[in-house]
Amino acid sequence: MDSAEIRESFLKYFESKGSVRRPSSSLIPDDPSLLLTTAGMVQFKPVFLGVTDLGSTRATTCQKCVRTTDIDIIGTTGRHHSFFEMLGNFSFGDYFKSEACAWAYEYSVSVLGLDPDRLWYSIYEDDDEARAIWRDEVGVPAERIVRMGAKDNFWAAGPTGPCGPCSELYYDQGAGVGCGLDTCAPGCDCDRFLEYWNLVFMQFDRAEDGTLTPLPKQNIDTGMGLERMASILQGVTSNYETDILRGIMTKAEELTGITYGGGGRPDTSLRILTDHARAVTFMIADGILPSNEGRGYVLRRLLRRAVRHARLLGREEPVMSTLAEAVIERMGEAYPEIVEHRELIRGITDSEEQRFGATLRQGLAFLEREVAAAQEASSAVLDGRKAFALHDTYGFPVELTSEIVAEAGMTVDMDAFTAEMEAQRERGRAAVKDESWAVSGGVFSEIAAGIGGTDFVGYETDEADATVLAVVVDGVRVERAEAGSAAEVVLDTTPFYGEQGGQVGDTGTLSVAGAPVFEVAGTALPVPGLTVHVGTVADGGIAVGDTVQAAIDQPRRERIRRNHTATHVLHWALRRVLGDHVKQSGSLVAPERLRFDFTHFEALTAEQLAKVERLANTKIMEDHPVRAYETSLASAREAGVTALFGEKYGEFVRVLEVGAFSKELCGGTHVGRTTEMGLVKIVSEGGVGANLRRIEAVTSFDAYELVLAEEAVLAETAAALKSRPAEVAEKVVALQARLKTAEQAARSSAGPRFDRDHLKLVSAEGGYPLSYGRFLNDVPADVVREEADKLRGEDGAVVLASEADGRVLLLASGSPAAVAAGFDAGAVIREMAPLVGGRGGGKPAMAQGGGDDPAGIEAALEAARALLGAE
């Protein structure tokens, strides 16, 4: 079987056992205690905890997962991966051990055709029940059942809470694959006995004193590694030889000119390229963008590690977007989201790879300086902490660092490096909390488990009669809250929209007999399906069991509706103007404005912004109908409905259609026709991160007020210039020209001043001439740029600092020859700016920054010199 056939056969088999096939959840988990989705059970944690009812007691999935706790091991073996597919079957208080074991055996032998004489089974050392099931009910030989300790065969959610024994299935790959020792058995570190399926019997609740109490409902959670099973069925001993991974690796071989199978570092690099390409492709498709923190940092680290290994194989040109295409070609049918986001994946990988080029050069420069410093101190050992800094900051594998320092007759202090790596892993484990079963919501999780949720009727009406089901004050459930108290109220029915999907929650009142008893200042969804009204108790108090009239602030909702529909129209317009790589990546829909974040790789020009605004308003004024309906996620995808980037969806979704031009998944509230929005005006556009832009806009009366305000400013300006409004631009241009002439005349008499202590010409590490220094008199930005052009020349670079009106200006500029030799103006400014209390950046050829601390100028210039290795 190929991987697709294994995946489908597993899901079909467990469907035949009454399980509901569920789609893979996003790599961005709903659980805030987790950084990434690391196992099939993640999406079912609320079900296991009784917070959510799935509507079925049996489920089966093929879950996409990412784990990077031991990223440094990936590529060195044939089994470790950052991205993998986990096949699973789950029981929520339904079937238990007997069925789980019997079906695992039947699927392995009867469906997959595995030789039963090659199968072994491990159980928890005290689990006599599991042993009896395997031996007496399933009929496997007793000598093939191995008892193991808690480390291998007992699962726990944490120090307390759900836990239970495990049973693992192993496949004997033969003595030729293993260590050859007589003691070799399941659990051995060699590859002979390959564990391919883990059955977790979730049957106990562990108390703080360690006491195990049987759970009221016993659950099953299993996981089979698709890649491992593919390696067994396809007769190979490495996952990288299986159909999907081998196909991706073939593309890596074409790009690098290196053939896999020769052993050593080239094979390791090809495995890393293959593995990381899959992880990167799926992470971007699920809404993760490169950044310096959280899951974005994990993505950036994977990208940079892959690029570094491409360079080790001699490939200087970009590789990741081409490898991503190979992933999409082989896995797009099973995971249509990677096809849908193809252009975005290509754009992000290309952009990030280009960014890393300069970082790579800086890392090599850093290493060479540290080697020189060690040699100067007569040391033959490179500090392991320096090696770790290279690994962590610049993406240098320690093996590469060791090779480079070996050429200088040195070694790396691996003990110190290993200590730093382990400390980082511990920090990662603490942050990720893979085994944590905390669910956000606190007291509201308990409320949801008891009442099942709130009936939302806000799409159809602005008011509804409701019963108070719960009142919470200071995080504690109470029967009644008195006047003046801040409280949170749960109703059985509500027209209030809870904040989600970027749309703010509704405000309004809860009344009894027409008199407000609770002022709703906001509405939240702390637990899926449960609406919580947040506010202050008015006269009379509010109590559980009260019948109230829930009424939203209808004019406020109208403004929100207009702005929300406008985000959909703007999304369509942006894609028309900029391209299909544009994806919504976040939004804020408030009454007075909207904010729309989207993926794009550069600032929009004034012409592009004007075109986006014009297209959006054209669609608004064409008076298109707006309608919403519910359908299955599969049907929506087939119909070409756009899913919002990074958003997670269930089996059934709500589709919003604006005319015939926009179809998107959205749960928000919207206008009935586009003309209700009146007008949309873009207020601003700017960058909010790597490859991420933001538009802010207003609609309807807020857009009208904005136009009035701008007209007033224009009229005032025209009056000051003694001109008509239509002549203002011409007048201002003329004034600017006169001012520039006057400034140039003033500068020609005074001129910028350096002295030899403040302007130095040196040779940078790349061999190009570098001029760096500070002006002694206040010099404006345009003069600094003029001087930079003069000093840089055709083959050099320049770094300058100036102080004007108490503000520091930093500028770095490099000729094409200097940039080719390693100069990166953006990196230089990013190094300098914090030292003058500011920030900045730019491209390798030109960058600018500033700050408000002139006392740091000398330190900033020295930092630039050190970074560039200038002598």
Side-chain angles (χ1 to χ4, degrees):
M1 291 186 178
D2 64 23
S3 296
E5 290 169 331
I6 298 169
R7 188 190 296 119
E8 184 61 23
S9 77
F10 183 95
L11 297 172
K12 277 189 174 179
Y13 175 82
F14 281 99
E15 281 183 314
S16 75
K17 301 300 183 183
S19 296
V20 174
R21 183 189 300 211
R22 301 279 298 182
S24 171
S25 63
S26 170
L27 289 172
I28 303 175
D30 286 320
D31 188 338
S33 70
L34 298 176
L35 193 64
L36 293 160
T37 298
T38 57
M41 51 71 63
V42 168
Q43 67 168 298
F44 299 117
K45 283 170 63 174
V47 185
F48 283 129
L49 290 170
V51 174
T52 301
D53 183 1
L54 192 63
S56 171
T57 55
R58 302 181 182 187
T60 183
T61 64
C62 182
Q63 176 65 50
K64 52 191 177 184
C65 304
V66 168
R67 291 181 189 169
T68 57
T69 306
D70 297 314
I71 188 174
D72 51 306
I73 297 174
I74 296 168
T76 63
T77 75
R79 303 291 181 203
H80 286 82
H81 300 292
S82 56
F83 174 93
F84 58 93
E85 295 179 81
M86 184 66 77
L87 295 160
N89 57 287
F90 308 89
S91 167
F92 315 112
D94 191 333
Y95 66 81
F96 199 49
K97 288 185 186 179
S98 291
E99 295 89 343
C101 294
W103 294 342
Y105 181 86
E106 182 181 57
Y107 178 72
S108 297
V109 175
S110 301
V111 180
L112 298 182
L114 298 185
D115 181 354
D117 291 337
R118 288 192 169 211
L119 300 185
W120 289 71
Y121 314 86
S122 70
I123 60 171
Y124 178 53
E125 56 192 359
D126 295 336
D127 194 358
D128 294 330
E129 180 187 12
R131 176 179 172 79
I133 290 170
W134 282 120
R135 184 191 61 198
D136 303 333
E137 296 182 22
V138 181
V140 305
E143 63 271 17
R144 291 184 180 273
I145 305 171
V146 180
R147 293 183 187 268
M148 292 187 181
K151 179 182 178 183
D152 296 298
N153 279 76
F154 195 92
W155 176 88
T160 61
C163 60
C166 309
S167 183
E168 297 174 322
L169 281 73
Y170 292 80
Y171 181 78
D172 183 357
Q173 300 192 92
V177 178
C179 59
L181 298 174
D182 293 339
T183 55
C184 188
C188 181
D189 289 336
C190 74
D191 281 342
R192 174 174 175 175
F193 294 95
L194 181 64
E195 183 252 309
Y196 67 90
W197 205 341
N198 185 20
L199 315 179
V200 177
F201 309 131
M202 203 182 302
Q203 65 187 101
F204 299 117
D205 182 16
R206 178 184 279 157
E208 290 187 5
D209 62 1
T211 303
L212 298 178
T213 304
L215 289 167
K217 288 186 177 181
Q218 298 176 324
N219 306 309
I220 291 291
D221 162 26
T222 85
M224 174 196 284
L226 176 58
E227 291 83 1
R228 291 196 175 191
M229 182 47 64
S231 72
I232 293 171
L233 295 180
Q234 295 169 23
V236 295
T237 57
S238 166
N239 293 353
Y240 291 93
E241 294 287 353
T242 58
D243 57 309
I244 290 177
L245 289 169
R246 192 64 185 86
I248 301 167
M249 186 179 286
T250 298
K251 181 58 67 176
E253 289 176 319
E254 292 175 11
L255 291 170
T256 61
I258 303 297
T259 301
Y260 183 69
R265 193 175 74 187
D267 277 8
T268 297
S269 294
L270 286 170
R271 284 193 291 264
I272 287 170
L273 284 170
T274 301
D275 173 88
H276 290 11
R278 271 206 315 175
V280 162
T281 299
F282 277 87
M283 291 174 78
I284 294 174
D286 274 2
I288 301 171
L289 296 176
S291 70
N292 290 326
E293 59 184 15
R295 56 182 67 98
Y297 178 68
V298 173
L299 172 61
R300 173 164 284 167
R301 199 167 168 216
L302 287 167
L303 269 165
R304 293 188 168 188
R305 188 168 188 250
V307 171
R308 175 59 211 157
H309 279 271
R311 300 297 189 272
L312 284 176
L313 296 177
R315 173 78 180 192
E316 295 296 326
E317 297 80 10
V319 297
M320 294 306 293
S321 61
T322 305
L323 289 175
E325 275 294 331
V327 175
I328 295 168
E329 179 183 338
R330 285 158 182 80
M331 303 187 73
E333 185 174 350
Y335 299 99
E337 63 269 25
I338 63 176
V339 179
E340 180 182 343
H341 296 297
R342 171 185 269 119
E343 292 306 313
L344 178 66
I345 294 165
R346 290 185 63 88
I348 294 294
T349 50
D350 280 341
S351 173
E352 192 70 11
E353 194 159 353
Q354 291 168 4
R355 288 170 181 267
F356 185 46
T359 305
L360 202 54
R361 290 191 295 271
Q362 293 167 28
L364 286 169
F366 173 88
L367 178 56
E368 290 170 11
R369 287 197 299 274
E370 294 302 328
V371 167
Q375 290 174 330
E376 228 176 273
S378 301
S379 173
V381 179
L382 178 72
D383 187 343
R385 292 171 297 179
K386 302 296 184 182
F388 175 76
L390 276 165
H391 171 91
D392 195 49
T393 305
Y394 298 103
F396 275 45
V398 70
E399 297 85 1
L400 171 65
T401 304
S402 297
E403 288 175 19
I404 295 174
V405 301
E407 294 171 4
M410 297 174 61
T411 60
V412 175
D413 179 356
M414 290 303 300
D415 289 341
F417 175 84
T418 302
E420 291 289 331
M421 283 295 296
E422 187 55 35
Q424 184 192 62
R425 287 196 192 103
E426 287 302 321
R427 290 192 296 270
R429 293 185 187 111
V432 174
K433 301 178 184 174
D434 278 340
E435 300 302 329
S436 170
W437 269 50
V439 173
S440 63
V443 66
F444 296 111
S445 297
E446 299 173 8
I447 295 172
I451 70 171
T454 308
D455 181 20
F456 174 65
V457 295
Y459 294 134
E460 300 84 24
T461 182
D462 299 332
E463 297 184 6
D465 290 334
T467 301
V468 177
L469 298 182
V471 179
V472 175
V473 175
D474 294 329
V476 178
R477 292 183 72 169
V478 297
E479 287 299 309
R480 178 182 176 85
E482 301 300 335
S485 301
E488 296 160 300
V489 176
V490 177
L491 307 176
D492 62 341
T493 302
T494 185
F496 285 77
Y497 184 87
E499 181 172 346
Q500 62 177 321
Q503 180 173 327
V504 299
D506 282 326
T507 62
T509 59
L510 306 182
S511 303
V512 174
V517 295
F518 191 78
E519 298 289 341
V520 181
T523 313
L525 292 167
V527 176
L530 187 77
T531 303
V532 176
H533 308 78
V534 182
T536 306
V537 182
D539 290 342
I542 191 168
V544 174
D546 284 353
T547 298
V548 298
Q549 294 83 47
I552 66 170
D553 181 338
Q554 197 269 343
R556 180 177 180 272
R557 164 77 79 81
E558 287 301 312
R559 296 172 72 193
I560 294 170
R561 290 170 65 226
R562 295 176 189 126
N563 285 342
H564 203 157
T565 308
T567 65
H568 289 254
V569 178
L570 283 170
H571 192 189
W572 168 82
L574 284 163
R575 288 168 66 87
R576 284 289 301 272
V577 174
L578 304 177
D580 289 343
H581 66 275
V582 169
K583 306 287 182 184
Q584 180 176 341
S585 186
S587 66
L588 171 67
V589 181
E592 68 282 354
R593 67 188 174 103
L594 68 90
R595 187 180 72 213
F596 187 83
D597 295 346
F598 59 98
T599 52
H600 189 54
F601 313 118
E602 59 187 1
L604 274 67
T605 65
E607 291 76 16
Q608 287 173 324
L609 272 176
K611 190 172 183 180
V612 168
E613 187 175 274
R614 188 177 301 112
L615 278 172
N617 281 302
T618 297
K619 289 300 179 185
I620 287 172
M621 296 175 192
E622 286 174 354
D623 193 32
H624 293 279
V626 180
R627 75 183 189 102
Y629 60 90
E630 289 194 354
T631 185
S632 69
L633 180 60
S635 297
R637 287 193 180 279
E638 288 174 10
V641 176
T642 300
L644 298 192
F645 184 52
E647 194 66 43
K648 297 175 284 295
Y649 301 99
E651 185 178 355
F652 293 95
V653 293
R654 188 167 184 264
V655 177
L656 183 84
E657 288 187 355
V658 184
F661 64 90
S662 174
K663 293 182 181 181
E664 295 187 291
L665 302 182
C666 183
T669 59
H670 292 272
V671 298
R673 302 193 69 86
T674 57
T675 46
E676 293 178 40
M677 290 179 277
L679 176 72
V680 62
K681 286 291 294 178
I682 295 174
V683 177
S684 65
E685 188 276 338
V688 289
N691 311 305
L692 199 60
R693 310 294 300 176
R694 171 174 292 171
I695 274 180
E696 297 204 8
V698 291
T699 65
S700 188
F701 292 105
D702 295 291
Y704 175 65
E705 292 296 333
L706 176 66
V707 171
L708 288 180
E710 290 180 343
E711 284 183 345
V713 171
L714 178 61
E716 187 178 345
T717 305
L721 293 171
K722 296 181 172 60
S723 69
R724 290 181 294 120
E727 299 171 342
V728 165
E730 182 182 344
K731 285 271 191 179
V732 169
V733 169
L735 280 173
Q736 286 178 322
R738 289 168 56 191
L739 180 61
K740 186 174 182 180
T741 300
E743 287 176 344
Q744 288 174 340
R747 284 199 300 269
S748 63
S749 60
R753 291 188 291 113
F754 291 107
D755 67 22
R756 64 190 213 173
D757 291 330
H758 290 83
L759 179 65
K760 300 175 183 178
L761 178 62
V762 295
S763 177
E765 183 178 39
Y768 54 88
L770 170 69
S771 298
Y772 74 99
R774 67 177 293 179
F775 292 91
L776 297 183
N777 55 327
D778 286 359
V779 177
D782 57 339
V783 179
V784 174
R785 285 191 287 271
E786 289 175 9
E787 292 299 313
D789 290 340
K790 295 175 188 175
L791 293 167
R792 186 187 65 201
E794 294 184 0
D795 59 352
V798 62
V799 177
L800 297 175
S802 171
E803 179 187 353
D805 299 324
R807 289 280 301 170
V808 178
L809 172 69
L810 303 174
L811 185 141
S813 176
S815 65
V819 171
F823 181 78
D824 185 339
V828 169
I829 294 300
R830 285 191 293 274
E831 185 84 5
M832 297 175 71
L835 298 174
V836 294
R839 60 181 182 176
K843 297 181 179 179
M846 172 67 78
Q848 190 170 307
D852 54 12
D853 183 11
I857 288 178
E858 296 300 334
L861 290 169
E862 179 57 25
R865 186 204 64 75
L867 179 67
L868 298 171
E871 299 295 340

